[in-house]
Amino acid sequence: MSNGWLVFTDLDGTLLDHHTYDATPALPALDWLRESGVPIIPVSSKTLAELEDLKHQLNFDGPIVAENGAVLAYPGEEPQIAPPGYHLIRDFLIDHRANPHYDNLGFGDMSLEEVMQQTGLQRPQAEAARKRLASEPFLWRGTEDDLAGFRYEVKKAGLRLTRGGRFLHLLGDTDKGMAVKLVIKHLQGQGYPVTHSIALGDSENDRDMLLAVDHPVIVRKPNGTYLDLPERADALRTEQPGPEGWKQAIFSLRDRLERG
């Protein structure tokens, strides 16, 4: 039944608990997917270095989508990095601080200890989070009106701004949805028969990924709210947040699709 499934998943707040970064409640569903031969593809704001570590912990063995779609890595190949690359992204943020209304603080401005404090990550994971290739998470320290002006400057420069669970992220002209479509096309080209594409996410930066698949799953946030996705009235919403909701959604889809 599950032959031809593809599962794309956000991590923080979705497969991983928002506070503890633990995936334990989702393990029964992860194990069932692996036993069924279903590729599980992380699509995250995390860096490639972070995802390489998690890949071994969670036994992912397929493509990896890092930095909100700006980095795409297939097994055994060099990563594909969306232009303009990390250094030019950083230059854009720094240059725009000349305008006092565009006050921001990026990962590149923080010490390792500050990154640990802002993210709740332990030292090794925080070090991996700073190994960025194509995007910059940052804290916005201006008003929402100021942010609207900054968004205009971002768009004018051909860049993108997206909001994750904790940070805003600046990257090139790409997103998670574009990356998902590229992965589907790549796997189909290798002969994998995609019958059901599934994506699970909880935040604004997951929107394009959820719109790009057959079966979008909106995972409840810890505060009980949900990402608004009016374009997809068919989206499944989980009753529980994080990995518990993730498990619920996978088994619910299994039962629904088995019934046809």
Side-chain angles (χ1 to χ4, degrees):
M1 181 277 301
S2 59
N3 182 39
W5 278 37
L6 277 182
V7 174
F8 298 92
T9 181
D10 174 52
L11 295 180
D12 294 353
T14 299
L15 178 57
L16 305 179
D17 183 272
H18 179 78
H19 302 289
T20 66
Y21 299 103
D22 180 31
T24 300
L27 290 181
L30 283 168
D31 289 342
W32 176 78
L33 288 169
R34 289 193 203 95
E35 290 166 3
S36 302
V38 177
I40 306 166
I41 301 163
V43 185
S44 175
S45 62
K46 291 183 179 297
T47 65
L48 184 58
E50 290 178 278
L51 293 179
E52 288 288 357
D53 289 339
L54 283 168
K55 176 179 177 178
H56 298 296
Q57 295 176 32
L58 298 172
N59 295 319
F60 296 147
D61 58 4
I64 290 176
V65 179
E67 299 192 39
N68 286 311
V71 178
L72 178 55
Y74 295 108
E77 298 182 13
E78 288 296 312
Q80 301 173 21
I81 301 171
Y86 181 65
H87 294 297
L88 290 178
I89 292 288
R90 281 285 300 156
D91 287 347
F92 181 91
L93 278 176
I94 294 168
D95 290 346
H96 280 74
R97 288 180 199 155
N99 183 331
H101 295 286
Y102 297 159
D103 190 13
N104 61 78
L105 182 72
F107 267 33
D109 304 305
M110 300 180 194
S111 67
L112 179 60
E113 287 70 24
E114 286 173 320
V115 171
M116 291 170 63
Q117 181 180 10
Q118 291 292 342
T119 61
L121 294 170
Q122 298 300 311
R123 184 172 294 269
Q125 289 76 31
E127 288 175 341
R130 298 176 81 201
K131 295 178 179 177
R132 314 205 67 82
L133 299 174
S135 69
E136 178 75 329
F138 65 95
L139 298 171
W140 184 255
R141 303 193 292 192
T143 67
E144 285 300 310
D145 285 343
D146 293 338
L147 181 57
F150 185 67
R151 285 185 183 277
Y152 173 77
E153 296 295 331
V154 168
K155 184 176 181 179
K156 189 168 67 173
L159 304 176
R160 293 201 181 198
L161 194 62
T162 187
R163 189 185 294 273
R166 289 179 171 84
F167 301 95
L168 289 165
H169 299 259
L170 182 65
L171 61 159
D173 189 17
T174 188
D175 57 47
K176 289 185 175 184
M178 292 183 189
V180 162
K181 291 175 184 177
L182 287 172
V183 171
I184 291 174
K185 184 177 180 180
H186 175 86
L187 293 178
Q188 287 176 324
Q190 292 188 326
Y192 186 82
V194 180
T195 58
H196 296 286
S197 58
I198 299 159
L200 304 95
D202 72 318
S203 297
E204 184 62 34
N205 63 341
D206 298 317
R207 175 180 300 278
D208 294 302
M209 172 180 72
L210 295 171
L211 293 175
V213 298
D214 302 322
H215 304 283
V217 176
I218 303 171
V219 176
R220 200 190 88 181
K221 296 182 181 182
N223 64 7
T225 64
Y226 294 88
L227 169 69
D228 188 27
L229 197 70
E231 303 95 326
R232 294 296 297 268
D234 62 322
L236 174 66
R237 290 185 174 194
T238 70
E239 296 175 3
Q240 298 297 321
E244 189 66 46
W246 200 97
K247 176 184 70 175
Q248 171 205 344
I250 292 298
F251 286 141
S252 177
L253 282 169
R254 179 192 64 181
D255 295 343
R256 180 198 300 177
L257 295 173
E258 278 182 342
R259 291 193 302 268

